[in-house]
Amino acid sequence: MTSQIKTLAAWLALTFVAAALGAWASRGAPEFYQQLVKPDWAPPAGVFGPVWTVLYVLMGIAAWLVWKLRGWSTAPRTLGLYVVQLAANALWSWLFFGWHLGAAAFFEVLVLWLLVLATTVCFWRARPLAGALLLPYLGWVSFASALTYAVWQRNPQLLGT
């Protein structure tokens, strides 16, 4: 039991390292987000932190469930894909909030969406519960893709073209 708790903690820690890297890029996000012209359906800045916290917890649990079932030796591509999408997740914050590159952030979020979809499918095949735990993440990245595009298009002076 103790080793299961340790590996769950390790997957959660890895996931939250990606979150911390993205958060580091987003240090000035509340002020920057306030300056942006946003669509009416854009959530207030205070929504993002709690939503991402829940999503990161679900993601870490999902990865742990796959690892618990298969481990690295039998699922290196599946778990490797998870790690790659974590890196892409963190990169988006740098592109959008850190470097104010709207076009790059939009195209990168599309790549992230594809990676999350592929990870969800692989996790589902390994253990349906693990795939199901990623569905809210896939939904949120879908929403984030639309929001990224809408905000980028409305703010060429702040996000470039």
Side-chain angles (χ1 to χ4, degrees), residues 14-128:
L14 175 64
T15 303
F16 277 95
V17 164
L21 290 172
W24 186 28
S26 303
R27 294 179 310 271
E31 297 81 16
F32 182 66
Y33 190 72
Q34 188 175 15
Q35 294 174 26
L36 297 170
V37 177
K38 296 172 284 299
D40 294 338
W41 45 271
V47 168
F48 293 97
V51 168
W52 276 112
T53 300
V54 170
L55 293 175
Y56 284 125
V57 168
L58 294 175
M59 292 161 57
I61 292 169
W64 172 71
L65 288 171
V66 171
W67 179 88
K68 185 176 158 185
L69 180 66
R70 295 190 166 178
W72 279 109
S73 62
T74 57
R77 286 188 210 122
T78 301
L79 293 171
L81 185 59
Y82 178 77
V83 172
V84 168
Q85 70 77 32
L86 278 179
N89 179 305
L91 177 59
W92 182 90
S93 296
W94 284 95
L95 292 170
F96 192 87
F97 288 116
W99 302 320
H100 303 171
L101 300 173
F106 174 65
F107 291 109
E108 196 276 345
V109 80
L110 296 179
V111 171
L112 175 61
W113 186 89
L114 290 170
L115 289 168
V116 173
L117 177 63
T119 304
T120 302
V121 169
C122 289
F123 275 28
W124 195 285
R125 288 180 182 156
R127 185 158 185 188

